[in-house]
Amino acid sequence: MSDKIAVVGSNMMDLVTYIDRMPERGETVEAPDFAMGFGGKGANQAVAAARLGSRVAMVTCVGDDAFGPQVRANLEANGIDTTHVRTVAGKASGVAPIFVERDGENAILIVKGANAALAPSDVDAAAKTLRAASAILLQLEVDLETVYHAVAFGAREGVATILNPAPAHPDLDIARLNGLDWFCPNESELALLTGLPTDSDEAVVAAARSLIERGIRNVVVTLGGRGARRVTADSVTEIAPVAVTPVDTTGAGDAFIGSFAHFLGAGVDANDALTRAARYAALSITRRGTQTSYATDQEFVTFLSSQALA
């Protein structure tokens, strides 16, 4: 099995403000700290997989502003192949203002910028790289037509596809995801995309099964402190949560997806890969930042040992 992962998706510059509380409308409040870093769901997932040891290629777009070369350099510093990172003339790079409260919870705005220019033609241009991958990772911070095109490419070429439908897009056409291998929403995204309740474990499974009936092979629903559920046509697997003290939850979902792809590509059984991914994501929320919170393989092994989880 190939250990190479291809990510077709977004990158962002994270503009992170640490706050004591969110201001009311029209109110100005002093914030205790600020940090700038690299993010975007696609780039985050790519970095998580790369730090664990996967060979990763990124298919994305950056602007011709000051952030563009910085994003490219950051990917390369993490060992990620940037052959298919395209610079879009006259466009700003994507940015994400993030507000992190004292309990680690966050609120995020995204400005797609050049990410909106990522097109089906970029997928075609990277066809050789995509065919060599164990999995293609996708998110919804780029044009939906590009996502559909990549899913169809994976189904046609026999490459596993993993879609994290975030941020949730009400116009996502489930019919055009036929043949998708892994659909990984959280419970609120699942509710929005299916129009079904997700207020109990039974409801989560029923909503997930409605997607299985429409041609998606596996649905993995992340449930925050309740862990996750993997739902197939004939089984439900509970992925147990890991108890940690949260510092910053930003990027935890991306840590989960990127590490899951890494473990799958390494030949780990899918349920075991999901269990390991939940632990990797738990470690990420004990650290500040997005990509800066992602552990290397050795750091992850140390964490498992300290938690008696190895």
Side-chain angles (χ1 to χ4, degrees):
M1 178 178 290
S2 172
D3 65 344
K4 186 166 188 178
I5 293 167
V7 180
V8 177
S10 61
N11 67 85
M12 300 277 177
M13 287 298 298
D14 285 348
L15 311 175
V16 186
T17 304
Y18 294 92
I19 60 176
D20 293 324
R21 65 173 178 84
M22 289 292 288
E24 301 294 333
R25 187 172 183 177
E27 181 185 21
T28 300
V29 175
E30 182 179 354
D33 204 2
F34 171 82
M36 188 165 67
F38 298 97
K41 289 187 173 299
N44 290 347
Q45 292 167 15
V47 169
R51 290 204 174 154
L52 284 168
S54 285
R55 296 178 300 136
V56 182
M58 185 86 198
V59 182
T60 192
C61 290
V62 297
D64 62 356
D65 56 0
F67 288 152
Q70 294 179 49
V71 169
R72 187 186 296 270
N74 176 66
L75 293 172
E76 292 171 350
N78 281 282
I80 295 168
D81 181 354
T82 60
T83 301
H84 300 291
V85 175
R86 180 166 63 90
T87 299
V88 183
K91 285 287 186 180
S93 297
V95 296
I98 300 171
F99 305 91
V100 181
E101 297 186 86
R102 282 179 292 181
D103 62 0
E105 291 300 317
N106 62 66
I108 304 174
L109 299 170
I110 63 166
V111 182
K112 286 183 179 179
N115 290 295
L118 190 69
S121 59
D122 292 299
V123 175
D124 294 338
K128 183 177 180 180
T129 295
L130 298 180
R131 286 191 192 100
S134 62
I136 300 170
L137 302 191
L138 302 154
Q139 326 78 37
L140 298 185
E141 288 179 335
V142 298
D143 187 77
L144 289 180
E145 288 298 324
T146 304
V147 173
Y148 301 142
H149 194 75
V151 170
F153 177 94
R156 185 172 65 249
E157 300 291 339
V159 181
T161 45
I162 302 173
L163 173 59
N164 174 214
H169 200 306
D171 294 331
L172 183 69
D173 186 351
I174 301 298
R176 298 187 66 182
L177 301 179
N178 185 48
L180 178 70
D181 293 282
W182 297 92
F183 190 75
C184 304
N186 62 30
E187 55 193 316
S188 62
E189 291 159 354
L190 180 65
L192 176 65
L193 295 171
T194 63
L196 297 172
T198 58
D199 53 357
S200 68
D201 281 352
E202 293 77 12
V204 165
V205 171
R209 284 259 162 82
S210 75
L211 297 174
I212 300 292
E213 292 168 359
R214 299 173 70 179
I216 293 172
R217 295 190 174 99
N218 296 268
V219 178
V220 177
V221 187
T222 54
L223 302 169
R226 303 196 332 269
R229 303 288 183 276
R230 177 193 177 190
V231 181
T232 68
D234 54 11
S235 67
V236 178
T237 304
E238 179 178 349
I239 310 301
V242 179
V244 294
T245 301
V247 172
D248 183 352
T249 60
T250 310
D254 300 327
F256 180 86
I257 299 294
S259 61
F260 172 56
H262 163 78
F263 296 126
L264 270 186
V268 175
D269 169 79
N271 288 339
D272 189 15
L274 288 167
T275 298
R276 296 189 195 190
R279 293 168 177 175
Y280 188 83
L283 173 56
S284 79
I285 71 172
T286 67
R287 305 174 173 190
R288 271 193 172 192
T290 306
Q291 294 176 17
T292 54
S293 72
Y294 297 163
T296 63
D297 181 56
Q298 187 53 57
E299 289 171 335
F300 183 51
V301 169
T302 300
F303 170 73
L304 294 181
S305 298
S306 70
Q307 299 287 313
L309 294 170

